[in-house]
Amino acid sequence: MSDKCYNEFFIKFNFFDVECLKHTISKALGTGIIAGSTLVKFPQILKLVNGKSAVGISFLGVLLELIAVTSSFAYNYAKGYPFSSWGESVFLMIETAIIAFLVLLYNKKTGQANVFAALYSLVTYMLYSGIVPMNVLWNMQVANVPIVVCGKMIQAFKNFQNGHTGQLSGITVNLLFLGGLARIFTSIQETGDSMIIFTFIMATLANGVLAAQVLYYRKETARVLLEAKKKKKAN
């Protein structure tokens, strides 16, 4: 909380200062999003591990999402924006990378999974160390919009083709959708960066499509996963 807002709230007892209210709500939401991001994709990871299957999960879709969240982290970090406005990117990077690794692993592509892990670790180090110029990071951020939308729509199209959402975690999808709505507000308040704001708007709309599919296909998904489980036990 800024000194100005502290004085307004606790010295003057003016709890209705609009700017301070928006600032405080933004900080609280940002902190909540970061805290939630430590577990937001855990249900998806758990579902993959427990099922030992990546059925219905598009690796290309996961990879594009990973590129987008990594670009966002690198750009925000280099720009020096408040951690509360982008900190979830760090945890989402780690969790999405784990999901990408597991998708390859459970599709019996162990060698590719190991190569992916090594290459991604190297790229992340390069982005974090400041080797990559700011103009490149900015261009990566610009590219985030089509990357985010394409990644989500690839998964949405696969769901449509399958007629179910497979191992896609409804909990994770819904949490990402709700977190995106909150992040639009915090980005407006804390960065004012139109590119970041637009990226979050598009990502939230795309997550909304997946959330709607999870709801629409829930019965068929339950049936398909139950049959797969029975088949696995029979074998």
Side-chain angles (χ1 to χ4, degrees):
M1 186 179 295
S2 66
D3 291 339
K4 176 185 178 298
C5 291
Y6 179 86
N7 288 332
E8 289 291 335
F9 289 154
F10 301 110
I11 304 300
K12 299 179 182 178
F13 298 106
N14 177 19
F15 299 109
F16 300 101
D17 183 285
V18 176
E19 286 305 314
C20 284
L21 277 174
K22 289 195 294 185
H23 175 77
T24 304
I25 291 171
S26 177
K27 286 292 184 184
L29 282 174
T31 303
I33 292 169
I34 293 170
S37 70
T38 60
L39 295 174
V40 71
K41 292 206 170 188
F42 185 73
Q44 180 65 80
I45 294 171
L46 197 61
K47 194 167 185 178
L48 289 169
V49 172
N50 287 341
K52 290 183 170 47
S53 165
V55 62
I57 305 294
S58 166
F59 174 74
L60 179 58
V62 174
L63 181 62
L64 289 175
E65 183 179 357
L66 181 60
I67 291 171
V69 74
T70 304
S71 299
S72 179
F73 151 74
Y75 177 75
N76 280 278
Y77 177 78
K79 292 285 284 186
Y81 290 139
F83 186 73
S84 59
S85 70
W86 59 271
E88 77 277 5
S89 297
V90 178
F91 302 103
L92 291 177
M93 281 167 52
I94 297 169
E95 293 162 10
T96 307
I98 292 172
I99 291 169
F101 178 83
L102 290 175
V103 170
L104 288 173
L105 187 67
Y106 290 135
N107 282 327
K108 305 188 186 306
K109 298 178 181 178
T110 306
Q112 292 181 33
N114 292 329
V115 170
F116 161 77
L119 286 177
Y120 182 68
S121 298
L122 177 61
V123 170
T124 304
Y125 169 75
M126 291 175 64
L127 292 171
Y128 180 79
S129 64
I131 296 174
V132 182
M134 177 57 75
N135 65 315
V136 175
L137 296 178
W138 187 85
N139 286 322
M140 288 171 63
Q141 183 64 31
V142 172
N144 256 3
V145 175
I147 288 174
V148 167
V149 174
C150 284
K152 299 293 183 182
M153 290 304 99
I154 286 171
Q155 181 63 60
F157 184 67
K158 185 162 187 174
N159 294 339
F160 175 74
Q161 281 186 314
N162 293 338
H164 61 81
T165 56
Q167 293 287 4
L168 190 66
S169 169
I171 296 174
T172 293
V173 168
N174 282 292
L175 286 175
L176 287 172
F177 173 67
L178 294 173
L181 290 174
R183 186 49 84 195
I184 293 169
F185 173 75
T186 62
S187 297
I188 292 171
Q189 286 297 118
E190 299 194 34
T191 70
D193 192 313
S194 57
M195 182 55 63
I196 292 176
I197 295 166
F198 182 63
T199 301
F200 277 120
I201 289 173
M202 296 306 295
T204 302
L205 289 173
N207 277 319
V209 172
L210 293 180
Q213 285 186 319
V214 167
L215 183 64
Y216 183 77
Y217 291 125
R218 65 188 185 282
K219 290 183 180 179
E220 182 63 16
T221 299
R223 185 189 68 78
V224 168
L225 293 181
L226 182 61
E227 286 185 0
K229 191 175 182 180
K230 288 179 180 177
K231 187 176 180 181
K232 188 174 289 187
K233 283 184 178 179
N235 294 333

